[in-house]
Amino acid sequence: MAERLPEVQWTQREDLAALVAALGADNLRWVGGAVRDTLLGLPVKDIDAATPLRPEQVVERCAAAGIKTVPTGIAHGTITTLPGGGPVEVTTLRHDVSSDGRRATVAFASDWREDAARRDFTINALYADPNSLELFDYFGGLQDLEARCVRFIGDPDERIREDHLRILRYYRFQARFGSDLDEPAENACARLAPTMKGLSRERVAMELLAILALPDPAPTIARMQARGVLPVILPETGTSQIAALERLIACECEHDTTGTAIVRLAALLPAADSIAESVAARLRLSRQQRGLLMCLAERRESDGDAPKALAYEHGRDCASGRLLLMGGDPHAIAHWEIPQLPLKGGEIVAHGVTGADVSRLLRQVEARWIAEDFPDRARVLNLLETALAERA
């Protein structure tokens, strides 16, 4: 593995050079995902930096250089700087003072290795000098990155007890970057899985959905189930649901469709709206996510018989998900513009219909319109005439 960070587009940004100049090259190193992903040749989304400067010093020096800042996490030493080309989180070097498994009390530090020691995995504790791009690796992260091994820094049990969410983070990173399994990490996650019961539901949901959004999370989810990790956060999932997820992902590949986390979550649950509602509440899903999950829970074998009607009734997202969950092809509705019924209640009233009969006739015409695969307005008016004649 290289001892210097490759010169890629983000490392040569002029606005980042201005940030480095404002804080001082000796006072800043790139760290975390940007370094890791650059070494792996992957796109870089977020750029983070570490500094021995205190938060107030970061704010002061940035202000002097005309760089805006936002105190997004100032209590924990994080300042979001806005140098122009995109936000950069700058965090003061820290070490943990105490932790209850959900949140840590930290103190500022001045030693780079001490800061690295509090991070979760070796591959996330790689630092790079902003000018020379020299890499600093205190715990064998470069070797682990080359071996595609996700390994905790230090004792896995101790690191998980500091933050129980690291169990789910381990599986997410292992699914994304790992090839060989790290047995100490795997065993620690299994031993300490019950500790996740104390985590906030939002944090659990965030990590679970992030795992499910990966290209092929099925092997990881199956391992989480076998190790007793998944039952702690998703006890509704059994062997048949694991198989359903595998079939779903195979269907996505067959039809060249990008999978979505909520549809995959639906595969991990029995097809019952009461279960979907319970899980959505427990994971504190958004209203949109909850609605989609419950719609997916109502899937039926007949969904593939009329995909356009399914999309008209439930929307494209739910219809596509239900088709995939039942082994169908969603391309029939991928670019179909869902129409509106070209008939208004007032047009029925004009024929002398009143009261509840108006909505009843409207629904009757709509049902026939759907059954005929959404013909044009002229045909809809014919359908209305037929319905009126039947009523007479």
Side-chain angles (χ1 to χ4, degrees):
M1 185 63 71
E3 295 183 0
R4 292 180 71 255
L5 200 63
E7 291 188 10
V8 293
Q9 188 275 333
W10 73 267
T11 65
Q12 302 175 60
R13 277 171 42 184
E14 292 184 3
D15 64 310
L16 294 187
L19 177 63
V20 172
L23 299 183
D26 293 337
N27 292 325
L28 183 142
R29 290 180 185 175
W30 310 128
V31 67
V35 176
R36 178 199 64 225
D37 291 351
T38 298
L39 290 170
L40 290 173
L42 299 174
V44 170
K45 296 180 180 180
D46 302 313
I47 299 173
D48 296 319
T51 179
L53 297 175
R54 297 299 178 98
E56 60 273 16
Q57 293 176 295
V58 173
V59 171
E60 181 181 339
R61 294 192 183 200
C62 284
I67 299 173
K68 295 181 179 179
T69 59
V70 180
T72 46
I74 194 166
H76 291 88
T78 299
I79 299 295
T80 298
T81 64
L82 305 171
V88 178
E89 285 196 351
V90 179
T91 302
T92 302
L93 302 182
R94 301 174 294 180
H95 66 85
D96 288 338
V97 175
S98 63
S99 174
D100 61 3
R102 298 179 63 185
R103 58 186 67 84
T105 300
V106 299
F108 297 141
S110 58
D111 182 79
W112 296 98
R113 182 185 177 90
E114 192 174 16
D115 183 72
R118 69 172 300 276
R119 297 178 182 269
D120 47 14
F121 309 115
T122 62
I123 62 172
N124 290 340
L126 299 170
Y127 300 72
D129 183 279
N131 289 334
S132 69
L133 299 183
E134 177 187 359
L135 291 169
F136 299 88
D137 176 17
Y138 301 100
F139 298 101
L142 290 173
Q143 183 178 345
D144 288 337
L145 201 60
E146 188 170 17
R148 292 298 185 105
C149 177
V150 179
R151 184 169 59 87
F152 283 100
I153 294 173
D155 178 58
D157 289 67
E158 181 180 341
R159 305 324 306 276
I160 290 172
R161 289 193 179 97
E162 292 169 353
D163 184 353
H164 304 151
L165 193 69
R166 284 173 174 166
I167 294 174
L168 296 181
R169 282 177 57 81
Y170 165 77
Y171 282 104
R172 175 163 63 88
F173 279 92
Q174 206 286 324
R176 186 179 176 198
F177 302 113
S179 55
D180 295 335
L181 298 180
D182 183 68
E183 283 303 319
E186 294 279 321
N187 294 336
C189 289
R191 277 194 301 271
L192 296 173
T195 64
M196 292 189 296
K197 293 177 181 178
L199 289 170
S200 75
R201 300 170 183 182
E202 292 86 351
R203 295 182 78 198
V204 169
M206 178 185 69
E207 286 295 335
L208 177 60
L209 294 178
I211 292 170
L212 290 173
L214 293 171
D216 182 9
T220 298
I221 293 293
R223 204 168 74 255
M224 291 170 66
Q225 178 76 2
R227 294 277 187 164
V229 173
L230 192 65
V232 176
I233 59 172
L234 210 61
E236 296 83 359
T237 299
T239 304
S240 60
Q241 282 75 48
I242 298 293
L245 176 63
E246 293 170 349
R247 289 194 301 271
L248 169 63
I249 293 173
C251 188
E252 293 168 354
C253 293
E254 179 185 351
H255 298 299
D256 194 24
T257 298
T258 301
T260 61
I262 294 295
V263 176
R264 290 170 172 181
L265 176 60
L268 290 175
L269 302 175
D273 54 6
S274 59
I275 293 177
E277 186 172 19
S278 174
V279 170
R282 187 171 73 241
L283 295 179
R284 302 280 176 84
L285 299 183
S286 69
R287 179 175 298 183
Q288 181 180 9
Q289 291 171 327
R290 174 185 176 276
L292 178 56
L293 189 65
M294 292 187 65
C295 182
L296 294 167
E298 296 173 353
R299 57 191 181 272
R300 299 183 295 271
E301 291 285 347
S302 60
D303 281 346
D305 296 342
K308 288 183 178 179
L310 191 68
Y312 177 79
E313 182 179 359
H314 299 292
R316 195 188 319 277
D317 289 345
C318 180
S320 296
R322 282 168 65 158
L323 289 170
L324 286 166
L325 285 163
M326 302 311 297
D329 184 355
H331 283 101
I333 59 172
H335 303 292
W336 180 58
E337 185 175 346
I338 299 175
Q340 289 186 334
L341 176 66
L343 181 67
K344 302 298 182 184
E347 295 176 273
I348 298 176
V349 172
H351 285 81
V353 181
T354 59
D357 285 345
V358 175
S359 59
R360 182 182 61 79
L361 272 172
L362 194 63
R363 289 194 302 271
Q364 184 179 342
V365 172
E366 182 181 42
R368 293 178 179 179
W369 176 64
I370 294 171
E372 291 189 12
D373 201 25
F374 308 95
D376 61 16
R377 175 172 165 79
R379 176 57 183 159
V380 169
L381 294 177
N382 289 337
L383 293 174
L384 174 60
E385 293 295 336
T386 301
L388 288 169
E390 291 172 351
R391 176 176 175 272

